């Protein structure tokens, strides 16, 4: 078994799922527990969603010994929101909205890293949702809800209309700082010691292994290894934002300076100077350790290499790649989020 989880969420007037919250997913759960649960719910198929009512919750509670899962089931009894059990036995293309939400939870709970799950075509399974002060609402139903709120002297705040919610409304990983919750989507992976500043952004299926400083944009599919810093307004080319099928990664102890960016993978201890964006087609003058010209190449040929310093020669305007003599080191006190 790949994962199972008990969740509760929101459906629209057409009984379609808008979102699902899984408080404590189980990753690779005990085989006997899976067999016991499947015997209760009469499960058929590898990946399934099963609606839960109070009688079925009672039957499940009778075969589960885990205190945390029993606590979740107890809180679900009598819920006015729909409840669901989602079982994933294989990592295949998602087929339902609850499946997608469970996979996004697994990322934010740090059970899997970015690009380790099949997230093919998930946009077709994620409805556009009005994220409001009263929870998830179908945009087609928002006007009536706003009117009802106003007639009772209340105001309905619409925070966003998007397919993805804020991660912090579903998962709060231990040992991180997030200055603005709207800047991190559910499905982001934030390792312990990571700080996301006010203008930083982490997309779904993107990850900072931690500790990291994020003041720029970590795009979908991008992974940044421990000790690296993404400077203010810096950006990375994700598979949804120009990276195509190239998986962009940033190695350990790298610095992508303010207003800089990369469209190629970087190895360890690399630095890109402020304001310089390296695309795969950028012409780069490679210098040896004595700063003598060696060759001119397109940046894609340097992808994944370590100890590179990318700068633009202030006299000639040529982009140069030198040996990085100074690897960055993050402030340990700043990233100890206990």
């Amino acid at each position: 078994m790949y994962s199972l989880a008990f969740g509760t969420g929101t459906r629209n007037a057409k009984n379609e799922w808008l979102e699902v919250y899984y408080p404590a997913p189980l990753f690779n759960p005990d085989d006997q527990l899976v067999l016991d649960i499947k015997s209760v719910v009469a499960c058929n198929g590898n990946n399934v969603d099963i609606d839960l009512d109070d009688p079925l919750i009672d039957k499940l509670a009778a075969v589960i010994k885990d205190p945390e899962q029993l606590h979740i089931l107890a809180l679900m009894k009598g819920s006015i929101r729909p409840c669901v059990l989602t079982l994933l036995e294989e990592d295949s293309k998602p087929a339902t909205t609850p499946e997608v939400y469970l996979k996004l939870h697994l990322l934010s709970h740090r059970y899997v890293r970015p690009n380790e799950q099949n997230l093919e075509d998930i946009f077709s399974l994620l409805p556009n949702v009005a994220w409001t002060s009263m929870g998830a609402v179908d945009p087609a139903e928002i006007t009536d809800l706003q009117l009802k709120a106003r007639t009772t002297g209340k105001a309905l705040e619409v925070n966003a209309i998007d397919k993805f919610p804020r991660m912090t409304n579903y998962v709060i990983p231990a040992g991180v700082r997030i200055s603005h919750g709207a800047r991190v989507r559910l499905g982001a992976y934030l390792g312990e010691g990571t700080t996301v500043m006010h203008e930083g952004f982490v997309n779904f299926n993107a990850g900072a292994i931690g500790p990291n400083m994020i003041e720029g944009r970590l795009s979908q599919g991008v992974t940044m290894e421990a000790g690296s810093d993404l400077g203010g307004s810096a950006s990375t080319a994700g598979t949804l934002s120009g990276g195509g099928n190239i998986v962009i990664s940033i190695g350990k102890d790298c610095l992508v300076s303010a207003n800089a960016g990369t469209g190629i993978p970087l190895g360890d201890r690399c630095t890109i100077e402020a304001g310089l964006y390296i695309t795969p087609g950028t012409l780069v003058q490679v210098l040896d350790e004595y700063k003598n010209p060696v060759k001119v190449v397109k940046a894609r040929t340097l992808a994944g290499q370590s100890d590179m310093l990318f700068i633009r020669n202030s006299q000639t305007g040529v982009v140069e790649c030198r040996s990085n003599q100074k690897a960055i080191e993050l402030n340990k006190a700043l990233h100890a989020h206990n």
Side-chain angles (χ1 to χ4, degrees):
M1 173 62 70
Y2 164 51
S3 183
L4 70 85
F6 299 105
T8 184
T10 309
R11 283 179 162 140
N12 62 13
K14 297 178 182 178
N15 207 35
E16 301 166 331
W17 284 106
L18 297 180
E19 54 85 40
V20 185
Y21 167 58
Y22 298 103
L26 293 175
F27 185 66
N28 291 329
D30 178 76
D31 289 342
Q32 187 58 53
L33 172 63
V34 175
L35 290 173
D36 290 341
I37 289 176
K38 292 180 74 172
S39 69
V40 170
V41 299
C43 173
N44 293 314
N46 292 328
N47 295 352
V48 295
D49 310 320
I50 299 161
D51 289 347
L52 300 180
D53 55 19
D54 283 359
L56 191 50
I57 288 173
D58 286 335
K59 291 179 181 179
L60 287 166
V63 301
I64 292 175
K65 299 180 177 62
D66 183 281
E68 184 176 33
Q69 301 301 318
L70 285 172
H71 178 65
I72 290 169
L73 289 174
L75 292 176
M76 285 183 175
K77 283 198 65 176
S79 172
I80 63 172
R81 296 281 189 177
C83 296
V84 64
L85 164 64
T86 301
L87 300 166
L88 300 179
E89 291 199 70
E90 60 182 31
D91 183 27
S92 55
K93 176 182 174 180
T96 67
T97 300
E99 282 186 36
V100 174
Y101 265 84
L102 179 50
K103 288 192 170 190
L104 295 176
H105 276 71
L106 293 177
L107 278 158
S108 292
H109 276 285
R110 303 173 181 160
Y111 287 124
V112 295
R113 289 190 176 194
N115 305 309
E116 289 184 348
Q117 295 183 111
N118 186 334
L119 297 175
E120 182 182 354
D121 201 27
I122 65 170
F123 284 92
S124 66
L125 298 170
L126 290 173
N128 222 22
V129 174
W131 303 102
T132 79
S133 53
M134 295 178 65
V137 180
D138 188 323
E141 301 168 11
I142 192 69
T143 301
D144 285 351
L145 199 59
Q146 286 175 318
L147 178 58
K148 288 180 181 179
R150 287 174 179 268
T151 58
T152 59
K154 300 177 182 178
L156 178 66
E157 185 77 20
V158 180
N159 300 309
I161 299 174
D162 194 8
K163 290 179 176 288
F164 292 83
R166 301 181 181 193
M167 183 189 75
T168 51
N169 287 344
Y170 292 77
V171 182
I172 300 180
V176 303
R177 280 200 298 140
I178 301 171
S179 298
H180 191 335
R183 306 289 294 177
V184 181
R185 279 172 146 184
L186 180 63
Y189 181 113
L190 296 184
E192 189 163 356
T194 294
T195 294
V196 184
M197 295 302 291
H198 295 80
E199 296 305 317
F201 174 76
V202 186
N203 209 341
F204 80 97
N205 199 38
I209 304 308
N212 296 100
M213 173 61 76
I214 301 174
E215 299 178 270
R217 186 176 75 243
L218 203 59
S219 302
Q220 194 278 138
V222 178
T223 301
M224 185 162 63
E225 296 292 336
S228 291
D229 186 326
L230 191 62
S233 298
S235 63
T236 53
T239 54
L240 298 179
S241 59
N245 294 322
I246 300 173
V247 177
I248 304 299
S249 59
I250 298 174
K252 297 179 180 178
D253 302 319
C254 292
L255 172 62
V256 182
S257 304
N259 298 308
T262 182
I264 65 169
L266 301 176
D268 299 336
R269 300 173 301 279
C270 292
T271 296
I272 301 177
E273 77 164 3
L276 176 60
Y277 198 109
I278 301 297
T279 69
T282 300
L283 290 177
V284 179
Q285 174 70 70
V286 179
L287 307 179
D288 63 18
E289 60 270 31
Y290 304 106
K291 299 183 181 179
N292 295 316
V294 176
K295 57 184 176 181
V296 176
V297 298
K298 290 187 175 181
R300 63 170 57 92
T301 66
L302 303 173
Q305 296 188 35
S306 298
D307 299 299
M308 297 185 293
L309 169 62
F310 289 97
I311 65 170
R312 188 180 297 278
N313 189 301
S314 59
Q315 293 181 321
T316 65
V318 173
V319 176
E320 298 178 346
C321 178
R322 304 176 181 178
S323 295
N324 190 18
Q325 303 296 327
K326 295 181 180 180
I328 69 157
E329 183 175 344
L330 295 179
N331 185 318
K332 292 182 180 180
L334 184 65
H335 293 270
H337 305 325
N338 299 324

